[in-house]
Amino acid sequence: MPAPSFRSVTATLAALFAAQTLCAFELPPGHPEISSSKSFMSKEAPAMPAGHPPVTRPDSTLYELVAGGIAYHRKDVDFAASALMSAAYREKNPEIAEMAWQAALATRDSNRLVAVARFWTELEPTSEMAWQTIFADAVEKGDRAALEKGLAALDAAKAARKTEKPAAGDAVKPRSDDAWVGRVSRLFSRSRPSDARFFAEAVKPYAQKRTDAESRLGYALLLKTAGEGDRACRLARAAQKTKPADASIVGEAADVCWSVDPEGTHRMLKTFLEHHPNEARIRLVLARVEARLGNKDLALRETDRAVKNAGEDATVFYNAGQIAADLGDAPRAEKHLLAYVEALRETNSEIDLSHHDVWLLLGNAALEQKALERAAKYWHELTDGPYAGQARIREAIATADLGRLDDACRILEEGRKTLPLDTAILYSAESKLLLENGRNRDAYVLLKEASAQHPTDTEILYDAAMAAESVGERSDSEAFLRRLLDMNPQHVQANNALGYLLVEENRNLDEARRHLEVAFKAAPLDPFILDSMGWLAYREGRFKAAYEFTNASLKKLYDPEVASHLVDILCVLNRRADAEKVLAETIERSGLTPELEALAARRALALPATTGTSKTEKNAPERTAGVRP
């Protein structure tokens, strides 16, 4: 089940750490270097930031800072955001405002996040992260005027630094920092193409004035996402020519130009490596290019050469592991990723990697090698951060596949205690494991509990309805579906499920038709909805229409229940020979079941001369007994 969606303000900012590019220069999610050294949220941070100015109300402010920090670590992010914002307002302190922003980001409440960001810009007009939040909000709303106003304000604030006098004891005069254009462009290059185009047009006047490599490359990445590949490549090439020996710039230029000029990009990288053969990161870029050209062996060879020249750059191991995984070389991927973990721990034996996505990758690599125990062990290491929910689900599935279903359920139960934002998907995952293993009653009880804790989660309600149906609790199933449809009347599968339930019980057929027509209009080719429409027509006595719908459903996807419906319909159409033929084919594909025996007896149909025991139909959809998708 997908996690609840949030407005793209928080999603856009999260993309800062999620992009996958050719250049592979991004630090891996969870890598220790991405944590802010002045962040109060860091587990290594002291109770007060180093060098913090005197506070006006130490009795209140110190309490809010300490309490907010503790609440954040305990994942009570709503309290943390409120406490830290209160302290920031009182002290008019940008450092505290940044802390409040971090907590607001964790709440996934876009309105709160934008409000904190606006206050932060009042205190620190040059804060790019605060402005990026405001820009993301304007892009999400399509508010061009607000976006242009914000860009002008940030540009003016950066330019104003030219006229600032150096602070006491500071011999360096503040500079204008024109490269902010490249940095904010880079952020929006990781958004949707439509958002990238919207932002590119607004920031264009500022980008055209910049000639530094960082600004040109950032804007080039933005243009690439916006669909202007040729223009982006020309800009990236211009940036690369200004600093031809800079590996970072060469790598990013390759990332921009690859899609429009693959051969030129390949030559550029090979030329660079002729002069800088030990540049590990460019080896990785070349490896990605070779992979995309279909040269798997050459790509893997380049990753091995990069690893040999990695030196103290641990991220080379990480990215080499990613490339090997993408190329299907699981043993090599696991080797490189383990080397990455070892390199981090050699740097700092006390390092906390509990939030690092490397464990997901290692688990996947082990799974590819059919090493379930090892895969589960890797996933078990990932207990915090945005990937922890995924890790609990994968660990549980691997454990269940090892034959330890109860242990798998305990893993997900413990996950719900420690990962409050992921409880819905963890409930769903556990219920599916139970259903797949025939423990439908346990799944039903679990999902009733989940629906009480998440009364507005439509996917939980749908899962609960299906589980209730699977154990014969039709009144509960109907109640769950009606609650869901009260919140989302257009939910396709819920309309189909409720309509089918009413048709099965041969009641309220007018209401059933309303629900099924909503589903049919939204998904007219869905085989299950076609079958529901056919069974409705059968109940209404429109047998020719029933045949057309049901036959169309069965042609799209074989299902023994749909086949049995077609047998019934053919019988009432007095096509008994066709009915016996469909029955024989169904028995051949699914085996002789009690349901098919009962159908044959009820319709006085002859069974085929030889009938075996139940068979597994390879083409049949995976569907829990009694559950209608």
Side-chain angles (χ1 to χ4, degrees), residues 76-104:
D76 186 357
V77 290
D78 288 313
F79 176 84
S82 296
L84 293 168
M85 194 59 186
S86 174
Y89 271 121
R90 181 184 302 108
E91 300 298 334
K92 303 294 188 290
N93 185 295
E95 287 187 44
I96 304 177
E98 181 180 359
M99 300 172 199
W101 180 90
Q102 291 178 19

Side-chain angles (χ1 to χ4, degrees), residues 20 127 141 180 207 306 318 342 368 402 447 465 487 526 597 608:
Q20 295 290 332
S127 171
K141 294 175 179 175
W180 69 266
Y318 178 89
E342 291 169 6
E368 286 292 319
L402 286 165
L447 286 166
M487 289 182 284
D526 185 299
E597 278 191 297

Side-chain angles (χ1 to χ4, degrees), residues 91-133:
E91 300 298 334
K92 303 294 188 290
N93 185 295
E95 287 187 44
I96 304 177
E98 181 180 359
M99 300 172 199
W101 180 90
Q102 291 178 19
L105 181 62
T107 68
R108 303 189 186 185
D109 181 337
S110 291
N111 290 327
R112 170 183 274 174
L113 182 65
V114 172
V116 176
R118 292 191 187 283
F119 178 66
W120 186 5
T121 61
E122 292 174 14
L123 303 176
E124 190 175 5
T126 59
S127 171
E128 290 176 23
M129 189 58 76
W131 279 113
Q132 287 166 354
T133 306

Side-chain angles (χ1 to χ4, degrees), residues 429-579:
E430 184 175 352
S431 70
K432 285 178 172 58
L433 280 179
L434 292 168
L435 289 167
E436 288 169 4
N437 286 275
R439 289 172 54 175
N440 294 24
R441 176 63 59 175
D442 290 340
Y444 162 65
V445 171
L446 179 73
L447 286 166
K448 282 190 74 172
E449 175 187 314
S451 68
Q453 292 194 22
H454 300 273
T456 61
D457 190 308
T458 56
E459 298 312 306
I460 284 286
L461 290 173
Y462 183 76
D463 287 348
M466 296 299 96
E469 171 71 15
S470 76
V471 295
E473 300 287 352
R474 287 197 163 188
S475 60
D476 273 2
S477 181
E478 182 175 345
F480 286 129
L481 290 169
R482 291 191 183 282
R483 279 171 55 190
L484 190 165
L485 289 169
D486 283 343
M487 289 182 284
N488 181 5
Q490 300 303 311
H491 193 287
V492 175
Q493 297 304 334
N495 273 293
N496 180 51
L498 181 55
Y500 184 78
L501 186 152
L502 295 173
V503 170
E504 274 284 271
E505 297 187 348
N506 203 15
R507 63 183 173 89
N508 299 347
L509 294 185
D510 287 342
E511 181 189 354
R513 171 166 287 281
R514 290 196 299 273
H515 289 301
L516 291 178
E517 285 180 346
V518 170
F520 182 66
K521 287 177 182 176
L525 301 180
D526 185 299
F528 296 110
I529 294 173
L530 285 170
D531 176 56
S532 297
M533 292 293 289
W535 206 229
L536 172 66
Y538 174 84
R539 294 295 196 197
E540 292 174 334
R542 299 182 297 110
F543 301 123
K544 288 186 178 179
Y547 171 79
E548 295 297 334
F549 278 121
T550 308
N551 192 46
S553 171
L554 203 57
K555 284 183 177 180
K556 286 188 171 296
L557 184 69
Y558 170 77
D559 183 277
E561 182 181 344
V562 178
S564 66
H565 286 170
L566 187 59
V567 171
D568 268 320
I569 293 166
L570 289 168
C571 285
V572 299
L573 287 171
N574 202 29
R575 294 171 55 181
R576 295 182 61 80
D578 290 335

Side-chain angles (χ1 to χ4, degrees), residues 55-341:
V55 295
T56 58
R57 293 270 308 275
D59 54 338
S60 300
T61 304
L62 290 175
Y63 166 76
E64 287 171 338
L65 288 171
V66 174
I70 292 172
Y72 185 91
H73 284 303
R74 291 181 176 177
K75 296 184 173 58
D76 186 357
V77 290
D78 288 313
F79 176 84
S82 296
L84 293 168
M85 194 59 186
S86 174
Y89 271 121
R90 181 184 302 108
E91 300 298 334
K92 303 294 188 290
N93 185 295
E95 287 187 44
I96 304 177
E98 181 180 359
M99 300 172 199
W101 180 90
Q102 291 178 19
L105 181 62
T107 68
R108 303 189 186 185
D109 181 337
S110 291
N111 290 327
R112 170 183 274 174
L113 182 65
V114 172
V116 176
R118 292 191 187 283
F119 178 66
W120 186 5
T121 61
E122 292 174 14
L123 303 176
E124 190 175 5
T126 59
S127 171
E128 290 176 23
M129 189 58 76
W131 279 113
Q132 287 166 354
T133 306
I134 296 168
F135 297 158
D137 184 56
V139 169
E140 168 67 17
K141 294 175 179 175
D143 191 338
R144 180 67 176 267
L147 179 57
E148 290 177 346
K149 181 180 178 181
L151 287 167
L154 177 57
D155 186 51
K158 293 287 189 179
R161 298 184 68 184
K162 289 181 179 179
T163 60
E164 288 179 6
K165 294 181 179 179
D170 187 356
V172 180
K173 183 178 180 179
R175 58 190 179 85
S176 65
D177 190 13
D178 286 344
W180 69 266
V181 174
R183 290 191 292 273
V184 296
S185 294
R186 190 183 302 272
L187 173 78
F188 285 94
S189 73
R190 296 163 187 169
S191 61
R192 296 172 298 190
S194 58
D195 290 346
R197 285 192 291 273
F198 187 83
F199 189 79
E201 282 301 311
V203 81
K204 182 178 179 180
Y206 305 98
Q208 288 178 330
K209 298 176 183 177
R210 269 65 181 183
T211 58
D212 62 284
E214 184 172 358
S215 292
R216 281 176 166 174
L217 273 173
Y219 194 58
L221 288 164
L222 181 65
L223 291 174
K224 177 191 173 188
T225 304
E228 298 187 47
D230 290 334
R231 184 179 165 204
C233 185
R234 288 195 298 272
L235 199 58
R237 289 282 194 182
Q240 184 260 331
K241 287 178 181 178
T242 63
K243 293 186 176 180
D246 189 309
S248 296
I249 291 174
V250 171
E252 288 196 307
D255 188 54
V256 172
C257 292
W258 156 254
S259 59
V260 295
D261 185 14
E263 292 183 1
T265 302
H266 189 266
R267 285 195 303 271
M268 178 180 70
L269 294 170
K270 295 285 282 186
T271 299
F272 180 88
L273 286 170
E274 286 174 4
H275 297 89
H276 309 278
N278 296 327
E279 183 51 63
R281 292 188 172 192
I282 297 302
R283 288 278 172 206
L284 292 176
V285 179
L286 180 58
R288 291 190 187 278
V289 169
E290 296 288 12
R292 294 183 185 184
L293 288 171
N295 302 325
K296 177 179 176 179
D297 291 339
L298 288 176
L300 291 172
R301 191 182 307 162
E302 292 298 341
T303 63
D304 290 343
R305 292 185 68 180
V307 164
K308 288 180 181 178
N309 293 311
E312 297 181 357
D313 189 349
T315 60
V316 170
F317 294 103
Y318 178 89
N319 287 287
Q322 278 192 320
I323 294 169
D326 292 342
L327 291 171
D329 191 329
R332 192 185 245 109
E334 186 175 8
K335 175 185 175 182
H336 292 329
L337 293 168
L338 281 174
Y340 171 68
V341 172

